[in-house]
Amino acid sequence: MNDLSLKGVARKYAGETGSFSVKDDILNGTGSLRTRLEALAEEEISFGVSECIYGWTAAFEQVWTHVTVRIDLDPDAGITASTVNSLQTTWENGIESTWSDQWATSRGGELPCPFTFEVRWVGSNEHHEVRIRPGAARSNMTTWDTLDSGAVAAHEYGHMLGHVDEYPDSNCPDRDPVNTGIVMDDNSANVPSRLLDPFADRLGTGLRSA
Ligand SMILES: [Zn+2]
């Protein structure tokens, strides 16, 4: 967890306006400010996505400018624990470096909070279950393979956040836009601001460069 905006969280989630007392209005007299702010700002987000012939459910947790996706990996028989371990490192690095610290949000006079993205590998309470099969194969949001790079994982993570594909697909001749050169097109580490707009909109703030 990096930055939390005290004023931003208090305004949005505690209904505070104007000047307020951290001790009386936010902490209620006791506890850690960060713990209290995180609890106020924590939102479990889930919504249906439909594009062309494809449909799925986006799901993640947003705590102010920090987004976490909990993934339960389900490897096929014969894929060893050490292989899974090494894939987790590759995928986590690819996902977090692609999505994090590209954009930030703030209002006038407040410190900008960079948006950061995390993947957490879990055995229960997951947002998404992902099968791992032997590669090379054709991956999608819920089926990855042992040869998938961090860049592929970053693309599939984008679907979990609710983003659609931007590459040409003969099954979807009307898809628009395509060939955009971003993570949802060709897996490049390019995240334009429009992909972060929904996260800033949820906070009621605008985007700026991180
Ligand atoms: Zn895709």
Side-chain angles (χ1 to χ4, degrees):
M1 182 72 55
N2 292 321
D3 303 293
L4 279 168
S5 161
L6 169 59
K7 285 183 182 173
V9 172
R11 201 167 30 229
K12 177 162 173 60
Y13 301 101
E16 302 291 345
T17 55
S19 63
F20 51 84
S21 156
V22 170
K23 183 167 171 288
D24 297 336
D25 298 327
I26 307 300
L27 282 177
N28 300 321
T30 61
S32 143
L33 176 58
R34 170 163 293 270
T35 302
R36 173 79 175 123
L37 286 179
E38 287 182 359
L40 278 173
E42 180 181 340
E43 287 193 283
E44 286 288 338
I45 313 287
S46 175
F47 55 90
V49 181
S50 173
E51 190 266 336
C52 182
I53 57 173
Y54 307 106
W56 65 95
T57 301
F60 51 88
E61 176 197 84
Q62 180 170 354
V63 180
W64 194 244
T65 52
H66 188 70
V67 176
T68 302
V69 180
R70 297 185 300 270
I71 298 177
D72 184 3
L73 293 174
D74 181 20
D76 281 6
I79 298 177
T80 65
S82 86
T83 297
V84 172
N85 250 308
S86 134
L87 288 171
Q88 284 176 332
T89 302
T90 300
W91 293 341
E92 185 169 342
N93 289 341
I95 288 167
E96 295 179 0
S97 68
T98 297
W99 287 92
S100 295
D101 299 314
Q102 308 291 331
W103 300 97
T105 191
S106 70
R107 289 192 185 177
E110 296 175 358
L111 288 172
C113 293
F115 279 96
T116 50
F117 291 82
E118 175 185 355
V119 58
R120 199 175 301 155
W121 310 114
V122 298
S124 62
N125 194 31
E126 70 275 8
H127 293 110
H128 302 277
E129 182 171 333
V130 171
R131 176 189 166 197
I132 311 175
R133 59 181 165 176
R138 173 78 196 227
S139 290
N140 59 40
M141 185 181 82
T142 55
T143 304
W144 300 3
D145 74 62
T146 53
L147 294 180
D148 278 342
S149 63
V152 170
H155 172 99
E156 304 306 346
Y157 186 92
H159 289 310
M160 296 173 175
L161 300 178
H163 296 307
V164 302
D165 284 317
E166 299 190 9
Y167 54 79
D169 181 340
S170 57
N171 294 316
C172 302
D174 296 330
R175 177 176 286 167
D176 180 51
V178 292
N179 297 318
T180 51
I182 71 160
V183 61
M184 300 315 295
D185 171 23
D186 58 8
N187 306 343
S188 59
N190 176 4
V191 174
S193 61
R194 61 187 167 86
L195 298 190
L196 272 290
D197 280 337
F199 297 90
D201 288 349
R202 226 169 267 121
L203 305 178
T205 59
L207 280 177
R208 51 182 287 173
S209 297

